[in-house]
């Protein structure tokens, strides 16, 4: 007893914010994380789901921040003022971040000087020549009126007159191109701001109000918004929720409260409509009145195109409410914004400079363009990446780019019409670059059209689709565009504002044509917007500036459909994440990768930070908190009729296999109480099995015992299904419902590996008394992008990186056919094969980890496939069960004589735990 008290005293003194008496593994986890922050660099911390990992991260990381600040205060108390001044003037800090303080309405003189010197819409260039984020297009406008010089007013008046009298508003300002190897510049006058879009549709904006001292921050990111909400929920259990400034960021789609915009549904359309409203606001602000006397003119009061941003005062009040209410999740912020009538998306973003803890999704932190757009400064700060089991793939996928045939045709025609209209008015720089864009888009179009002479390696695939895969240089050479300086072209697109000029002109012409035809009913939800097409082109050109070995170009041609439409696309697939991740590591003080299933860690190290020797990587792992009797993992090799289970690619669709799985479920619903969750490899296969069971009568037998639910394909519908599933379990398990047939108890949920339910959803207690994993959910070998990654990873660590490994099927011969994909996988000797196997087992581990969420929870886990079953003594290193989490692998029943033995074990397991729970 004395030892327990002593341990409690230790953790209370070191981690006083932990709201309960922690388990020993939680203390070990917090100590390891604290040590990692002291050390800095990259660390990996693994703790099984259901062990309180999130709470341990919060209490350890934020306590380290508190201790670190206290230490710095003690050590540097004498010159802390000087350090603050130095930090505020750092070139790594965006201008808008320098000028922000929560709840302070008066603007400083320094801010006015910056506006006068650089102009609205332009940031101060840093030492690297990069343009930093600048004044926000709408939040900078304070209520009241704002004076500008007469010369500026005349320029604005001329521009406003042009809007009404001619097409001159769409004319690009002169663009000067410097000598080869240096950048170009636009002859843009002060006040002529541009909208520069990042890859995720974000606009380079500024939300500055006042000065804010830069301070140590923790950036916590996870994959889904539901996981971020769960983090906030755990944070509220600690004292840090009220002691630290916390802000939660998210996408426009999740934050938008403008019904006319949010109803568009699609994230891309919502982003574009939001930015279009800001552009409309800019035009409104440009309207001025000449006051005559005194040689000065007065700008009218700001009037945003979005009704949720028309009152800057409400934005300030919104920030004040966030500061007072403490940690708020996305739902809380949306409700607050809706009640106040102001935008929660921009309101939360403006809180970042003052925050101690920033909670945000993967895309916002891991994408460089998103970080720059949001003004996130990682320098010397803490980055914690949760659910990092598939971090490498998630990271590189953010740098993929894709442009479709229809987008190319749309963009090419718009550029052509724009050039025809303004050819004689454009300066030589603009003409040259626009003609270059026309050459490029025409070349891309030729690569996608049938019957062209473009020499692309390709073969016929399924459904009349033609695939080609090649390196960047080969792609450029094949189109005869290798002599174009893509770096300068991309720079031109960013600096010249051509995207918005051409898009706006095209939209106006389209609107006039529709008006003339008396069909002026255009809505923003057109299938292909010009803006999204231009963004896709810009992203593709940016991708083509990468090193030749960083990724692959995939060209997909498809034959004409019955409606006469042609498909096809060009896609750049990023393959290496080393340089991308190093940008984060080099800036941050420490980067922590956390998750429930991080092993094998060597693959992650080789793909993201190969420069770090294995013996210098800090890795922590621990066991589970539940006792052995609370979990029953069983490898089920045979069904009730004795049929061996084989859900491999070639056998899973056999009627005998689907029938045997149905018989298994008919037996399970009689022995498993409350809820059963069955995971399938894909939505298509789940649908195939469901239809077969329905036709054979198996579904009717299952539903006599348990009510059945299915995971919807649309992720936004998952929450309502889960709610009804949980309510059904709670109601039917009690057995007091009048509507409940006497024999029915609980429910069964058909879910999909890789779907929303398998990632981050809590299926504790009755919601997940039994998890059934159907087969081994290997990714489809017909996925050409997957095979490209496999081939790349197979070549990692070779003595001669310039010489790729040989495969039995050449890349020219691979066309998205499953058989060819299997041949390539069989040719892999180690890394590529391991990667493919790891993808499967990480998905399995994530799915089965939805159950067992606390120390008193219990569940059975059935791995239904003969490939899971084996004699432990004869099991090879690549055997699937060797990749299970240690806490499951140690308790696995790897071999059973028949299904009868499985049924008996289940009966004993649930009877024991029911009796234990009632004591």
């Amino acid at each position: 007893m004395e030892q327990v008290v002593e341990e409690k005293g230790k953790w209370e003194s070191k981690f006083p914010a932990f709201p309960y008496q922690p388990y020993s593994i939680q203390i070990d986890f917090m100590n390891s994380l604290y040590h990692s922050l002291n050390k800095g660099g990259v660390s990996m911390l693994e703790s099984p789901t259901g062990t309180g990992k999130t709470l341990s991260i919060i209490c350890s990381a934020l306590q380290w921040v508190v201790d670190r600040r206290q230490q710095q205060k003690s050590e540097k108390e004498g010159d802390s003022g000087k350090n603050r001044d130095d930090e505020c003037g750092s070139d790594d800090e965006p201008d808008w971040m320098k000028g922000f303080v929560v709840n302070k309405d008066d603007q400083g003189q320094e801010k006015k000087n910056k506006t006068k010197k650089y102009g609205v819409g332009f940031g101060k260039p840093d030492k690297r020549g990069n343009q930093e984020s600048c004044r926000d297009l709408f939040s900078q406008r304070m209520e009241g009126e704002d004076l500008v010089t007469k010369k500026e007013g005349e320029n604005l008046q001329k521009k406003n007159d042009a809007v009404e009298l001619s097409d001159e508003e769409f004319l690009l300002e002169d663009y000067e191109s410097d000598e080869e190897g240096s950048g170009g510049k636009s002859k843009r006058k002060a006040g002529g701001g541009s909208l520069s879009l990042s890859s995720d549709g974000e606009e380079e904006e500024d939300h500055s109000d006042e000065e804010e001292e830069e301070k140590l921050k923790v950036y916590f990111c996870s994959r889904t918004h539901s996981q971020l909400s769960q983090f906030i929920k755990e944070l509220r259990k600690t004292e840090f929720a009220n002691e630290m400034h916390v802000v939660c960021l998210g996408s426009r789609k999740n934050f938008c409260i403008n019904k006319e915009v949010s109803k568009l549904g699609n994230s891309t359309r919502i982003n574009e409509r939001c930015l279009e409203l800001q552009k409309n606001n800019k035009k409104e602000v440009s309207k001025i009145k000449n006051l005559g006397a005194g040689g000065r003119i007065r700008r009218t009061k700001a009037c945003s195109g979005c009704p949720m941003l028309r009152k800057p005062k409400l934005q300030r009040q919104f920030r004040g409410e966030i500061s007072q209410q403490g940690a708020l999740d996305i739902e809380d912020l949306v409700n607050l914004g809706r009640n106040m009538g102001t935008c929660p998306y921009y309101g939360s973003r403006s809180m970042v400079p003052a925050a101690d803890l920033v909670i945000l999704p993967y895309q916002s932190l891991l994408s460089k363009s998103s970080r720059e757009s949001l003004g996130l400064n990682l320098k010397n700060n803490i980055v914690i990446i949760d659910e990092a089991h598939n971090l490498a793939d998630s990271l590189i996928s953010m740098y993929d780019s894709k442009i479709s045939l229809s987008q190319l045709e749309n963009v090419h025609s718009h550029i052509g019409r724009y050039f025809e209209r303004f050819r004689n008015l454009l300066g030589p720089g603009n003409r040259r670059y626009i003609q270059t864009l026309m050459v490029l888009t025409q070349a891309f179009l030729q690569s996608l059209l049938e019957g062209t002479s473009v020499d692309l390696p390709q073969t016929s695939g399924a459904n009349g689709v033609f695939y080609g895969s090649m390196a960047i240089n080969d792609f450029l050479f094949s189109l005869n565009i290798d002599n174009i300086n893509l770096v300068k072209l991309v720079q031109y697109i960013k600096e010249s504002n051509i995207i918005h000029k051409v898009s706006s002109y095209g939209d106006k012409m389209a609107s006039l044509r529709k008006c003339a035809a008396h069909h002026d009913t255009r809505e923003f939800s057109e299938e292909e917007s010009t803006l999204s097409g231009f963004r896709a082109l810009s992203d593709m050109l940016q991708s083509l500036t990468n090193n030749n070995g960083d990724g692959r170009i995939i060209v997909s041609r498809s034959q004409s459909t019955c409606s006469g439409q042609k498909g096809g696309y060009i896609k750049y697939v990023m393959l290496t994440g080393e340089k991308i991740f190093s940008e984060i590591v080099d800036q941050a003080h420490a980067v922590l990768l956390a998750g429930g299933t991080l092993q094998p860690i060597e693959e992650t190290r080789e793909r993201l930070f190969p420069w770090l020797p294995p013996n210098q990587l800090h890795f922590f792992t621990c066991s589970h908190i539940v006792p052995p009797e609370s979990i029953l993992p069983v490898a089920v090799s045979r069904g009730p009729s004795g049929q061996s289970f084989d859900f491999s690619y070639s056998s899973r669709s056999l009627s005998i296999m689907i029938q045997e799985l149905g018989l298994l479920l008919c037996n399970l619903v009689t022995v498993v109480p409350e809820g059963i969750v069955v995971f399938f490899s894909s939505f298509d296969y789940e649908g195939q099995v469901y239809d077969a069971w329905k036709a054979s009568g198996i579904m009717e037998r299952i539903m006599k015992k348990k009510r059945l639910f299915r995971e919807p394909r649309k992720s936004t519908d998952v929450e309502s299904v889960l709610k009804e599933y949980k309510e059904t379990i709670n109601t039917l398990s009690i057995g007091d419902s009048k509507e409940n047939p006497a024999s029915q108890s609980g429910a069964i949920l058909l879910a999909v590996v890789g779907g929303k339910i398998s990632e981050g959803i809590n299926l504790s207690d009755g919601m997940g008394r039994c998890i059934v994993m159907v087969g081994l959910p290997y990714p489809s070998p017909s996925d050409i992008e997957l095979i490209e990654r496999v081939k790349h990873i197979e070549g990692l660590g070779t003595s001669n990186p310039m010489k790729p490994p040989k495969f039995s099927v050449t890349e020219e011969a691979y066309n998205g056919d499953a058989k060819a994909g299997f041949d390539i996988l069989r040719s892999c000797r180690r890394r590529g094969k391991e990667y493919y196997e790891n993808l499967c087992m990480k998905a399995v581990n994530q799915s089965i980890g939805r159950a067992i969420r606390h120390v008193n929870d219990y569940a059975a886990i059935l791995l239904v496939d003969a490939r899971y079953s084996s004699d432990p003594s004869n099991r090879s290193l690549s055997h699937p069960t060797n990749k299970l989490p240690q806490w499951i692998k140690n308790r696995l029943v790897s071999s059973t004589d028949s299904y009868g033995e499985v049924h008996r074990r289940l009966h004993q397991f649930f009877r024991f735990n029911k009796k234990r729970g009632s004591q």
Side-chain angles (χ1 to χ4, degrees), residues 123-332:
K124 179 180 179 181
D126 63 11
K127 294 177 181 178
R128 299 182 297 276
N130 296 326
Q131 181 178 332
E132 297 183 339
S133 297
C134 47
R135 192 102 32 238
D136 185 13
L137 292 173
F138 46 84
S139 67
Q140 64 167 354
R141 332 278 189 201
M142 310 299 286
E143 271 203 338
E145 299 173 333
D146 185 30
L147 292 179
V148 295
T149 66
K150 182 176 181 180
K151 183 178 180 180
E152 289 174 324
E154 290 173 350
N155 290 336
L156 289 170
Q157 182 66 58
K158 291 178 182 178
K159 188 173 182 181
N160 188 61
D161 292 341
V163 171
E164 298 177 358
L165 299 178
S166 72
D167 292 333
E168 290 184 21
E169 65 167 313
F170 305 115
L171 181 62
L172 285 163
E173 298 179 31
D174 288 346
Y175 188 87
E176 293 181 352
S177 178
D178 294 342
E179 295 297 321
E180 191 75 12
S182 62
K185 61 180 179 179
S186 175
K187 294 180 179 177
R188 185 173 290 109
K189 305 295 188 296
S194 67
L195 303 178
S196 175
L197 298 179
S198 68
S199 61
D200 64 343
E202 295 294 348
E203 185 180 340
E204 299 293 339
E205 298 163 351
D206 179 24
H207 303 273
S208 86
D209 276 339
E210 340 311 328
E211 293 282 336
E212 170 65 24
E213 173 192 352
E214 185 61 32
K215 56 184 176 182
L216 180 62
K217 281 184 174 60
V218 175
Y219 293 96
F220 176 90
C221 71
S222 194
R223 296 183 64 190
T224 66
H225 287 93
S226 61
Q227 290 166 347
L228 298 180
S229 295
Q230 180 64 27
F231 181 88
I232 293 287
K233 182 179 179 182
E234 294 297 305
L235 177 64
R236 288 171 180 163
K237 297 177 181 178
T238 74
E239 60 189 31
F240 292 123
N242 296 319
E243 292 183 356
M244 289 193 166
H245 290 108
V246 181
V247 62
C248 187
L249 304 181
S251 65
R252 283 182 173 90
K253 182 177 180 180
N254 288 86
F255 268 118
C256 184
I257 59 174
N258 184 337
K259 294 181 179 179
E260 293 301 312
V261 177
S262 60
K263 72 178 183 180
L264 298 173
N266 181 277
S267 296
T268 300
R269 291 172 180 168
I270 290 175
N271 285 338
E272 291 177 3
R273 183 54 177 159
C274 177
L275 296 176
E276 182 179 280
L277 288 174
Q278 294 179 44
K279 186 170 62 174
N280 294 341
N281 172 52
K282 183 185 172 187
K283 293 177 181 177
E284 288 293 324
V285 173
S286 295
K287 295 180 180 179
I288 56 174
K289 295 180 180 179
N290 193 339
L291 300 183
R296 301 176 70 86
I297 51 101
R298 192 177 298 272
R299 179 180 292 160
T300 57
K301 189 182 296 184
C303 180
S304 172
C306 178
M308 300 303 157
L309 285 163
R310 287 178 180 163
K311 297 181 179 179
K313 183 178 180 180
L314 289 180
Q315 281 284 292
R316 296 195 297 274
Q317 292 175 353
F318 180 85
R319 294 194 290 265
E321 285 293 324
I322 294 178
S323 300
Q324 292 178 12
Q325 295 188 27
L328 301 178
D329 63 16
I330 292 176
E331 185 177 354
D332 297 326

Side-chain angles (χ1 to χ4, degrees), residues 73-114:
K73 182 179 179 181
S74 301
E75 293 176 353
K76 301 179 180 181
E77 192 170 11
D79 57 355
S80 60
K82 178 178 179 298
N83 290 339
R84 281 196 297 270
D85 291 339
D86 291 340
E87 288 181 2
C88 287
S90 170
D91 282 330
D92 291 303
E93 183 178 4
D95 286 317
W96 66 266
M97 188 183 290
K98 297 174 185 176
F100 177 77
V101 167
V102 179
N103 293 331
K104 185 176 180 182
D105 295 341
D106 295 329
Q107 295 183 331
Q109 184 63 37
E110 181 180 348
K111 172 186 171 185
K112 295 180 181 178
N113 292 338
K114 289 180 184 177

